[in-house]
Coordinates of all heavy atoms in Angstrom, one line a residue:
V248 N 67.2 58.3 59.4 CA 68.2 58.6 58.4 C 67.6 58.9 57.0 O 68.3 59.3 56.1 CB 69.3 57.5 58.3 CG1 70.1 57.4 59.6 CG2 68.7 56.2 58.0
A249 N 66.4 58.6 56.9 CA 65.7 59.0 55.6 C 64.2 59.1 55.9 O 63.6 58.2 56.6 CB 65.9 57.9 54.5
W250 N 63.6 60.2 55.5 CA 62.2 60.4 55.7 C 61.5 61.2 54.5 O 62.2 61.8 53.7 CB 61.9 61.1 57.0 CG 62.4 62.5 57.2 CD1 61.9 63.6 56.6 CD2 63.5 62.9 58.0 NE1 62.7 64.7 57.0 CE2 63.7 64.3 57.8 CE3 64.4 62.2 58.8 CZ2 64.7 65.0 58.5 CZ3 65.4 62.9 59.4 CH2 65.5 64.3 59.3
M251 N 60.2 61.1 54.5 CA 59.5 61.9 53.5 C 58.3 62.5 54.1 O 57.8 62.1 55.2 CB 59.0 60.9 52.4 CG 58.0 59.8 52.8 SD 57.8 58.5 51.7 CE 57.1 59.3 50.3
K252 N 57.7 63.6 53.5 CA 56.6 64.3 54.0 C 55.9 65.0 52.9 O 56.5 65.4 51.9 CB 57.0 65.2 55.1 CG 58.0 66.3 54.7 CD 58.4 67.2 55.8 CE 57.2 68.1 56.3 NZ 57.6 69.1 57.3
E253 N 54.6 65.3 53.1 CA 53.9 66.2 52.3 C 54.0 67.6 53.0 O 53.9 67.7 54.2 CB 52.4 65.8 52.1 CG 52.3 64.5 51.3 CD 50.9 64.0 51.3 OE1 50.0 64.5 52.0 OE2 50.6 63.1 50.5
Y254 N 54.2 68.6 52.2 CA 54.4 69.9 52.7 C 53.4 70.8 51.9 O 53.7 71.2 50.8 CB 55.8 70.4 52.6 CG 56.1 71.8 53.2 CD1 55.9 72.0 54.6 CD2 56.4 72.9 52.4 CE1 56.1 73.2 55.2 CE2 56.7 74.1 53.0 CZ 56.5 74.3 54.4 OH 56.7 75.5 54.9
G255 N 52.3 71.1 52.5 CA 51.2 71.7 51.7 C 50.8 70.8 50.6 O 50.5 69.7 50.8
K256 N 50.9 71.3 49.3 CA 50.6 70.5 48.2 C 51.8 69.8 47.6 O 51.7 69.0 46.7 CB 50.0 71.4 47.0 CG 48.7 72.2 47.4 CD 48.3 73.1 46.2 CE 47.1 73.9 46.5 NZ 46.7 74.8 45.4
G257 N 53.0 70.0 48.2 CA 54.2 69.5 47.6 C 54.7 68.3 48.4 O 54.2 67.8 49.4
R258 N 55.9 67.8 47.9 CA 56.5 66.6 48.4 C 58.0 66.9 48.8 O 58.7 67.6 48.1 CB 56.5 65.5 47.3 CG 55.1 65.1 46.9 CD 55.1 64.4 45.6 NE 55.7 65.1 44.5 CZ 55.0 66.1 43.8 NH1 53.8 66.3 44.1 NH2 55.6 66.7 42.8
V259 N 58.4 66.4 50.0 CA 59.7 66.6 50.5 C 60.3 65.3 50.9 O 59.7 64.5 51.6 CB 59.7 67.6 51.7 CG1 61.1 67.7 52.4 CG2 59.2 68.9 51.4
F260 N 61.6 65.1 50.5 CA 62.3 63.9 50.9 C 63.7 64.3 51.4 O 64.3 65.3 50.8 CB 62.6 62.9 49.7 CG 63.5 61.8 50.0 CD1 63.0 60.6 50.6 CD2 64.9 61.9 49.8 CE1 63.9 59.6 50.9 CE2 65.7 60.8 50.1 CZ 65.2 59.7 50.7
Y261 N 64.1 63.7 52.5 CA 65.4 64.0 53.0 C 66.1 62.7 53.4 O 65.5 61.8 54.0 CB 65.4 64.9 54.2 CG 66.7 65.0 54.9 CD1 67.8 65.8 54.4 CD2 67.0 64.3 56.1 CE1 69.0 65.8 55.0 CE2 68.3 64.3 56.6 CZ 69.3 65.1 56.1 OH 70.5 65.1 56.6
S262 N 67.4 62.7 53.2 CA 68.3 61.6 53.8 C 69.6 62.2 54.2 O 70.2 63.0 53.5 CB 68.5 60.4 52.8 OG 69.3 59.5 53.4
T263 N 70.1 61.7 55.3 CA 71.4 62.1 55.8 C 72.6 61.4 55.0 O 73.7 61.9 55.0 CB 71.6 61.7 57.3 OG1 72.9 62.2 57.8 CG2 71.6 60.2 57.5
F264 N 72.2 60.4 54.2 CA 73.3 59.7 53.4 C 73.9 60.7 52.4 O 73.2 61.6 51.9 CB 72.7 58.5 52.7 CG 72.2 57.4 53.6 CD1 71.0 56.7 53.3 CD2 72.8 57.1 54.8 CE1 70.5 55.7 54.2 CE2 72.3 56.1 55.7 CZ 71.2 55.4 55.4
G265 N 75.1 60.4 52.0 CA 75.7 61.2 51.0 C 77.0 61.9 51.3 O 77.5 62.7 50.5
H266 N 77.5 61.8 52.6 CA 78.7 62.5 53.0 C 79.9 61.9 52.3 O 80.8 62.6 51.9 CB 78.9 62.4 54.5 CG 80.2 63.0 55.0 ND1 80.3 64.3 55.2 CD2 81.4 62.4 55.3 CE1 81.5 64.5 55.7 NE2 82.2 63.4 55.7
T267 N 79.9 60.6 52.1 CA 81.1 59.9 51.5 C 81.0 59.6 50.0 O 79.9 59.3 49.6 CB 81.4 58.6 52.3 OG1 80.3 57.7 52.0 CG2 81.5 58.8 53.8

Side-chain angles (χ1 to χ4, degrees):
V248 295
W250 63 76
M251 62 195 299
K252 62 180 291 189
E253 293 177 349
Y254 185 63
K256 298 177 181 178
R258 300 165 299 278
V259 175
F260 173 86
Y261 169 77
S262 178
T263 184
F264 297 142
H266 175 83
T267 63

